Amino acid sequence: MKNLNKVLLASLLVLAAGCSSQNQGSDSPAPAAPAADEKSEGVMTYEEYAAAELDTEVTIEAYVQAKQSWWEDKATVYTQDADGAYFLYNMACSEADYDKLVTGQKIKVTGYKSEWSGEVEIVDATFEIEDGNYVAEPVDVTDLLGKEELINHQNQLVSFKGMTVEAAGKDDAGNDVAFLYNWDGSGEEGSDLYFNVSKDGQTYSFTVESYLCGPDTDVYKAVKELAIGDVVDLEGFLYWYEGVNPHITSVKK
């Protein structure tokens, strides 16, 4: 998440099993979500969490949807319940416990609600493994692009349908290209991928976050093969950085 950390962490991160080539395995059952989760005593509903002030302690129960990274006993994880999503940044976690955070696993988390450049997250957190499994289906938010309501789906697994690939920048020869390594083209293989897509005349910047979906994943390879003008369907987590900045986990033409 915080780009300043990336150079230091890149060689030691454990890449998440959340992308199209690494998605739910046999150890990740995906039963239908309950209509509304029953929360344990002292645990917030998503509505209560959303209403909580920043920098206050929160306790939530949610289900792992993807693991972004592990480093020095800290894990960054996407989680969700039937009502909303929670981004857990640098949560205290041993490597052994990180291995237990399979897609769908229910956990109870206590930490502090925080915000960084528009991204609402839980920091300084600890967690407990609980019984229960749920894997979210992506919510189609295509029609919410450019609307204030989109932020209500922050950190959820979402989809965008019928998006047109636009130029992301230019190569050294001055030719338009469909993606860049890093937002400004300063990266290389293994860096984040940035690409632009449009809908109804508006263009948006999307990202393949290399810690979440590294160069060996299907989505990373697919973005590198995009051509300007391609029409694609996308899935990913609705991350926020100075505005909508989805972390894409699937690209289909």
Side-chain angles (χ1 to χ4, degrees), residues 36-108:
D37 277 328
E38 283 191 23
K39 303 296 185 180
S40 303
E41 183 177 354
V43 173
M44 293 175 160
T45 64
Y46 181 78
E47 183 178 7
E48 291 170 334
Y49 166 78
E53 296 290 333
L54 292 175
D55 302 319
T56 59
E57 187 176 76
V58 294
T59 299
I60 60 101
E61 287 174 329
Y63 304 84
V64 174
Q65 302 303 308
K67 299 188 292 187
Q68 181 165 300
S69 64
W70 178 87
W71 161 259
E72 290 190 341
D73 288 340
K74 292 182 179 179
T76 296
V77 182
Y78 283 96
T79 65
Q80 195 164 331
D81 64 17
D83 299 312
Y86 316 83
F87 186 70
L88 313 178
Y89 178 70
N90 272 358
M91 177 176 65
C93 179
S94 68
E95 188 171 10
D97 282 344
Y98 188 74
D99 291 340
K100 298 175 184 177
L101 297 180
V102 297
T103 303
Q105 177 63 57
K106 186 177 184 180
I107 57 176
K108 179 179 178 181

Side-chain angles (χ1 to χ4, degrees), residues 165-184:
V165 177
E166 305 290 347
K170 294 183 181 295
D171 61 18
D172 293 340
N175 301 311
D176 288 339
V177 292
F179 76 93
L180 295 173
Y181 290 113
N182 292 338
W183 66 272
D184 59 354

Side-chain angles (χ1 to χ4, degrees), residues 179-194:
F179 76 93
L180 295 173
Y181 290 113
N182 292 338
W183 66 272
D184 59 354
S186 63
E188 58 188 2
E189 180 72 2
S191 300
D192 295 347
L193 302 181
Y194 281 75

Side-chain angles (χ1 to χ4, degrees), residues 114-161:
S114 183
E115 182 202 355
W116 185 72
S117 296
E119 170 65 19
V120 177
E121 58 199 17
I122 299 177
V123 300
D124 298 329
T126 59
F127 75 98
E128 304 170 20
I129 298 285
E130 295 191 324
D131 292 335
N133 274 275
Y134 162 54
V135 178
E137 291 293 328
V139 177
D140 186 346
V141 295
T142 311
D143 291 340
L144 297 182
L145 281 167
K147 299 179 181 178
E148 292 183 2
E149 298 95 313
L150 183 61
I151 200 170
N152 296 331
H153 296 277
Q154 186 175 131
N155 296 320
Q156 289 184 18
L157 182 64
V158 297
S159 64
F160 305 91
K161 303 293 180 65

